[in-house]
Amino acid sequence: MARVAIVTGGTRGIGEAISLALKEQGVTVAANYAGNAEKAAAFTAATGIKAYAWDVGDFDACAAGVAQVEAELGPVDILVNNAGITRDGTILKMTREMWEDVIRINLGGCFNMAHATFPGMRNRKWGRIVNIGSINGQAGQYGQVNYAAAKSGIHGFTKALAQEGARAGVTVNAIAPGYIDTDMVAAVPPEVLEKIVAKIPVGRLGQASEIARGVTFLCSEEGGFVTGSTLSINGGQHMY
Ligand code: CAA
């Protein structure tokens, strides 16, 4: 039987590339999305991958969404926590709402989705969880105390859950992308983005497919000895 995966934020940007790459590996993919129903319908029409709408920041909605996917496609073996938003601004301009939305969705979403899927993986003695962190969670970024805190939290969450899953065949890893050519990065003011790209040693933005390749490796059978790790895919922008 084919493995079943949920990719959150899986119909656009990096998530879309991950959904496609997993499908190419023979995985049955459920692509979650939050709001853009038009794009999700186009994605399903183009790829044949089913799309499911729920808010990853809502604990109960995640439980219900996972139950629906499991009823339609089978038990979830692979979870890719990719959904995320930005609400950039210096702390002088950051409202409590901007802070709470990013923490609730980017970090809370990882908890909500893992809470709904980890017990089944553990019982079946096989699972793969990949959390999409960020270079900005590793290095910080001017104008992103909310996003950097959430992404940094994801890296800690990954290492803690990896310890809980190790004996049960459930690996938990993170990928820390750098600046990737997506709508999210396109929203950065052009003059700011230009300066950021100038500091990327390979001299360009990354492609979503270059993140997806890392995800398929971590989700593979051969990836079973890799757990609690963070794979940085950032064109050399941050090395440590
Ligand atoms: N270091 C030092 N100073 C900086 C700076 C930096 N990196 N960036 C901006 N500044 C300065 C500006 O020069 C300006 O200074 P002056 O006031 O002296 O002119 C000041 O900070 C900007 O002040 P603003 O009032 O304009 O700040 P703001 O609250 O409106 O915020 C900003 C501006 C939102 C931070 C904007 O600069 C921005 O969007 N920056 C990019 C943030 C970013 O990289 N986001 C990543 C999004 S993609 C993503 O997150 C994906 C991923 O995982 C990589």
Side-chain angles (χ1 to χ4, degrees):
M1 272 265 287
R3 301 276 185 204
V4 174
I6 294 179
V7 180
T8 67
T11 64
R12 292 173 54 207
I14 292 175
E16 177 175 14
I18 294 170
S19 296
L20 285 169
L22 286 171
K23 188 188 174 197
E24 275 170 20
Q25 300 292 311
V27 174
T28 304
V29 178
N32 151 270
Y33 69 99
N36 194 335
E38 202 179 313
K39 168 65 190 165
F43 166 83
T44 299
T47 63
I49 297 172
K50 277 185 133 180
Y52 295 82
W54 72 81
D55 173 3
V56 297
D58 179 333
F59 182 85
D60 294 331
C62 288
V66 169
Q68 188 191 350
V69 169
E70 295 205 320
E72 293 181 13
L73 305 180
V76 174
D77 306 298
I78 298 168
L79 168 66
V80 184
N81 279 316
N82 164 77
I85 60 166
T86 52
R87 295 286 182 270
D88 293 353
T90 60
I91 200 161
L92 299 177
K93 292 183 185 166
M94 190 172 291
T95 62
R96 182 175 170 181
E97 231 179 13
M98 290 160 80
W99 168 262
E100 286 179 350
D101 283 352
V102 169
I103 300 295
R104 181 178 65 82
I105 293 170
N106 296 16
L107 181 57
C110 290
F111 172 77
N112 297 340
M113 288 302 298
H115 194 270
T117 53
F118 183 80
M121 295 179 189
R122 200 169 171 279
N123 290 341
R124 292 186 301 277
K125 300 269 180 276
W126 199 95
R128 298 281 185 266
I129 297 178
V130 180
N131 302 314
I132 305 300
S134 169
I135 186 174
N136 294 347
Q138 297 172 309
Q141 169 62 38
Y142 190 101
Q144 282 200 313
V145 293
N146 51 2
Y147 187 89
K151 292 295 187 179
S152 181
I154 286 176
H155 294 300
F157 175 90
T158 299
K159 292 178 206 172
L161 191 59
Q163 294 178 31
E164 296 183 24
R167 285 290 165 99
V170 181
T171 68
V172 186
N173 292 287
I175 291 185
Y179 282 72
I180 309 300
D181 190 6
T182 60
D183 290 348
M184 182 183 273
V185 166
V188 174
E191 66 285 2
V192 177
L193 189 58
E194 202 177 302
K195 284 189 195 145
I196 290 171
V197 175
K199 288 191 190 143
I200 301 175
V202 304
R204 63 171 175 86
L205 295 175
Q207 293 301 312
S209 60
E210 294 173 305
I211 304 302
R213 188 78 184 90
V215 174
T216 56
F217 164 64
L218 292 171
C219 293
S220 66
E221 296 295 333
E222 296 79 3
F225 202 56
V226 185
T227 196
S229 74
T230 297
L231 176 58
S232 296
I233 306 180
N234 62 27
Q237 192 183 348
H238 179 64
M239 306 180 189
Y240 76 106

